[in-house]
Amino acid sequence: MTWAAASRGAEHRRRRWLGVVLPLTSVMLWFAVTSWRHRFLPHQLPSPGQVAETAWQLARSGELWQHVLASSGRVLAGFALGATVALVLGTLVGLSRTAEALVDPLLQLARNVPSLAWVPFLLLWLGIDEAPKITLIAIGAAFPVYLNLVAGVRQTDRALLEVGRVFGLSRDAQIRRIVLPSALPYLLVGLRIALGQSWLFLVAAELIASTRGLGFLLIDGENTARPDIMLVGILVLAILGKLSDSALRDVTRRLAPWSEVR
Amino acid sequence: MSVALRADRLVQRFGTRAVLADLSLEVGRGEIVSLVGPSGCGKSTLLRLLAGLERAETGRIELAGQPLTAPSRLIGYMFQDPRLLPWLTVRDNIVFGLPGAARRNADGLVGSLLSQVQLEGAASLWPHQLSGGMAQRVALARCLAVEPSVVLLDEPFSAVDALTRMALQDLLLAIWQRTQLTMLLVTHDLDEALYLSDRVVVMLGRPVALSESLVVTLPRPRDRRAPELATWRGQLLEALHLTGGAPQPLGSDTLRGRTRPHGAAIQPGAADDP
């Protein structure tokens, strides 16, 4: 590694630590207004200590892992389903103006429907089991992938397509070897947004008719007047969302090492 | 000398504006020909027609006697910019034009091409890690990888600094010495045209109908300081109405009466008017 690269690496690591500052400050502030100055009643805002203890109990009893497992499974299944459908539709619409004219207006209508509006119908049509929850998450995951992929296919540099023509590439080969690779960074950004959306839609799906999952944990805490449980649910959701995003970002770096979209 | 590439009475219009009218050009096998002329005179259009990137309205293009209607692997094309595919390494960019099976077993070819363009050891780099001159050398290697019989070069060295440009010119000549490739080069750089070419074709007027030729008789390797080059340069400037003084109307036909027949040599030191 050159000296410049090493110093860039050190700078990068130093900046990464900056990300810890604000969360840590927030916890200290939280501690200050609850345990120290007692500005909030415990049923309004429990202290960090109380929340930690609740988390520890939930973890030790195995209940927390049950919820985490149920929610993660739903997110993965819904994300995979939605992303796959969007991959097919996005590629078609990106490549063909006819497909765009046919499909895009319907998708743009559907995209603007609030997620909660789907819930009653999904329950009516698909029952109260896993199917409606996974479908709702798939709906949430599909649109970011679709929109980014269409944009990615459309932004293909005409200059690079000319390179393909100079070498006598067929239309199929141009799509496979130029259009799709050049859309890949856009697709990966779409997938990252979609994964975030999946966690958002998960809670909407689990708020209704579920007995397991982090969304259920939130509702349960609300119904039993346990803000400490709700805070555990919120914190675990935040951490899971961040971890899954980091994992997908690493995949992006491996799949598209040339890409500056990071 | 047999004809490698022939353009016969090409006509091309953009809207109502004729760019090429009955333009004919022949390039012999192993010959290096430069096209010089003012911006917008149709040099690049001609090159794109010859590459099959655009179709002429009328006229005929022949490659080694065979009519040419679509892009062919036998015609290599160097763009003004490298146009490397950013998601492929240098190695994969170089073999981009090869058929699938050949792409996988091309390590020997890649090594030999990289050494021809003096980029040994660069195979696994990404395009964004290359300087402009390096990237253009990779583009040259990619162009040569498919073993074309004719290479068309559209101002290939105009985007690099002067010293890099001279190094790239020598590199191109070294490759030509070895392969005896036929090359047709569009350039704005008269020194480049004279240093590289067997023949410099001046394109003037709108639409370009006639092209006048200057045969560069200096043997290679050439000395960039050779007095003949300076003399020819002066003649080219004169042919292009660029000797200074009052601005000339662009595309004027006044030159017609003074041009040599197509292909005739202008001898250094010869009087300009017969």
Side-chain angles (χ1 to χ4, degrees):
Chain A
M1 196 191 280
T2 62
W3 182 85
S7 111
R8 260 201 310 278
E11 202 180 304
H12 180 69
R13 272 192 299 281
R14 199 161 49 240
R15 268 205 302 271
R16 260 172 79 128
W17 281 108
L18 274 180
V20 182
V21 172
L22 286 181
L24 219 60
T25 315
S26 306
V27 172
M28 278 157 62
L29 203 67
W30 178 15
F31 180 83
V33 297
T34 52
S35 303
W36 183 37
R37 307 293 292 191
H38 300 285
R39 289 290 168 87
F40 290 91
L41 296 171
H43 71 264
Q44 285 178 317
L45 181 62
S47 71
Q50 282 170 289
V51 172
E53 201 187 317
T54 307
W56 171 244
Q57 279 166 9
L58 284 170
R60 214 176 41 176
S61 72
E63 201 188 332
L64 184 62
W65 309 123
Q66 218 186 350
H67 295 310
V68 166
L69 213 63
S71 289
S72 306
R74 286 168 187 150
V75 162
L76 279 182
F79 171 71
L81 181 67
T84 308
V85 172
L87 205 62
V88 175
L89 285 178
T91 309
L92 285 176
V93 168
L95 290 174
S96 150
R97 297 280 170 184
T98 314
E100 182 185 25
L102 184 71
V103 177
D104 198 59
L106 177 70
L107 288 178
Q108 297 298 344
L109 285 173
R111 187 164 76 88
N112 290 301
V113 176
S115 56
L116 284 173
W118 295 111
V119 170
F121 288 103
L122 292 175
L123 293 177
L124 282 172
W125 300 335
L126 299 169
I128 57 165
D129 212 18
E130 292 299 303
K133 299 183 180 70
I134 290 171
T135 307
L136 187 66
I137 294 167
I139 291 171
F143 289 110
V145 177
Y146 169 81
L147 290 172
N148 278 279
L149 186 54
V150 171
V153 169
R154 289 280 158 81
Q155 60 78 44
T156 305
D157 191 349
R158 292 174 59 87
L160 296 183
L161 289 173
E162 251 178 15
V163 173
R165 287 178 58 206
V166 161
F167 285 113
L169 260 56
S170 66
R171 185 175 148 80
D172 279 1
Q174 297 224 31
I175 289 170
R176 203 161 27 81
R177 300 184 57 201
I178 298 173
V179 175
L180 294 182
S182 100
L184 184 62
Y186 285 74
L187 171 66
L188 292 167
V189 168
L191 286 174
R192 274 181 74 186
I193 300 171
L195 192 58
Q197 287 277 82
S198 300
W199 285 104
L200 298 182
F201 275 60
L202 167 85
V203 176
E206 287 181 342
L207 285 178
I208 295 157
S210 60
T211 55
R212 280 183 309 146
L214 294 163
F216 166 77
L217 196 66
L218 287 176
I219 284 292
D220 195 42
E222 189 186 348
N223 290 340
T224 55
R226 290 283 302 274
D228 51 333
I229 292 186
M230 292 171 65
L231 279 171
V232 170
I234 287 171
L235 288 173
V236 172
L237 277 169
I239 290 167
L240 284 178
K242 168 76 179 126
L243 284 180
S244 58
D245 183 64
S246 300
L248 199 53
R249 199 185 50 202
D250 287 348
V251 171
T252 300
R253 284 186 183 159
R254 238 189 309 275
L255 282 182
W258 73 89
S259 162
E260 295 303 312
V261 189
R262 277 176 184 175
Chain B
M1 184 162 38
S2 66
V3 175
L5 188 65
R6 169 181 286 132
D8 191 23
R9 300 177 69 83
L10 295 180
V11 175
Q12 181 76 324
R13 262 181 286 259
F14 289 134
T16 54
R17 194 169 69 91
V19 183
L20 307 178
D22 277 342
L23 185 122
S24 298
L25 178 75
E26 282 181 4
V27 184
R29 190 174 304 282
E31 196 182 14
I32 303 180
V33 175
S34 288
L35 301 172
V36 299
S39 292
C41 75
K43 304 185 300 284
S44 293
T45 303
L46 174 61
L47 216 59
R48 292 173 64 83
L49 290 176
L50 294 172
L53 286 172
E54 285 166 32
R55 292 286 294 274
E57 281 181 30
T58 61
R60 187 178 160 88
I61 296 166
E62 284 175 12
L63 178 67
Q66 300 298 312
L68 192 80
T69 52
S72 159
R73 274 170 212 258
L74 292 173
I75 295 192
Y77 199 100
M78 279 279 286
F79 295 95
Q80 194 170 0
D81 46 339
R83 301 198 183 184
L84 301 180
L85 304 170
W87 53 88
L88 297 179
T89 59
V90 165
R91 178 206 181 279
D92 290 336
N93 263 292
I94 289 176
V95 299
F96 183 79
L98 297 175
R103 278 205 298 278
R104 281 182 290 278
N105 307 308
D107 286 348
L109 175 69
V110 169
S112 128
L113 285 167
L114 280 176
S115 79
Q116 282 187 54
V117 298
Q118 296 165 14
L119 279 176
E120 291 93 340
S124 58
L125 294 180
W126 296 99
H128 70 81
Q129 296 172 301
L130 306 176
S131 69
M134 287 167 84
Q136 199 60 329
R137 280 185 275 163
V138 174
L140 181 60
R142 173 177 70 183
C143 175
L144 298 172
V146 296
E147 298 185 341
S149 62
V150 175
V151 178
L152 308 173
L153 305 103
D154 187 3
E155 300 182 36
F157 309 136
S158 60
V160 296
D161 65 86
L163 292 177
T164 308
R165 187 180 313 148
M166 289 187 218
L168 289 174
Q169 289 162 359
D170 287 327
L171 189 78
L172 193 70
L173 283 177
I175 288 167
W176 176 82
Q177 296 281 1
R178 202 162 33 237
T179 57
Q180 292 296 305
L181 271 171
T182 307
M183 297 193 194
L184 181 60
L185 172 89
V186 162
T187 181
H188 280 127
D189 181 345
L190 298 183
D191 295 319
E192 175 170 277
L194 289 166
Y195 181 66
L196 291 178
S197 316
D198 298 305
R199 191 149 60 89
V200 180
V201 178
V202 178
M203 294 178 76
L204 260 186
R206 291 176 195 211
V208 176
L210 277 181
S211 41
E212 102 177 88
S213 278
L214 185 152
V215 176
V216 184
T217 48
L218 205 61
R220 295 188 181 90
R222 291 174 183 163
D223 186 337
R224 289 182 193 272
R225 297 161 301 183
E228 294 93 327
L229 292 179
T231 310
W232 282 319
R233 190 175 195 281
Q235 292 179 7
L236 284 177
L237 286 174
E238 208 167 298
L240 289 161
H241 309 296
L242 292 174
T243 46
Q248 300 274 340
L250 280 175
S252 89
D253 280 347
T254 54
L255 186 75
R256 287 275 167 79
R258 300 163 60 205
T259 54
R260 278 89 192 151
H262 180 69
I266 302 172
Q267 290 304 324
D272 188 46
D273 276 305

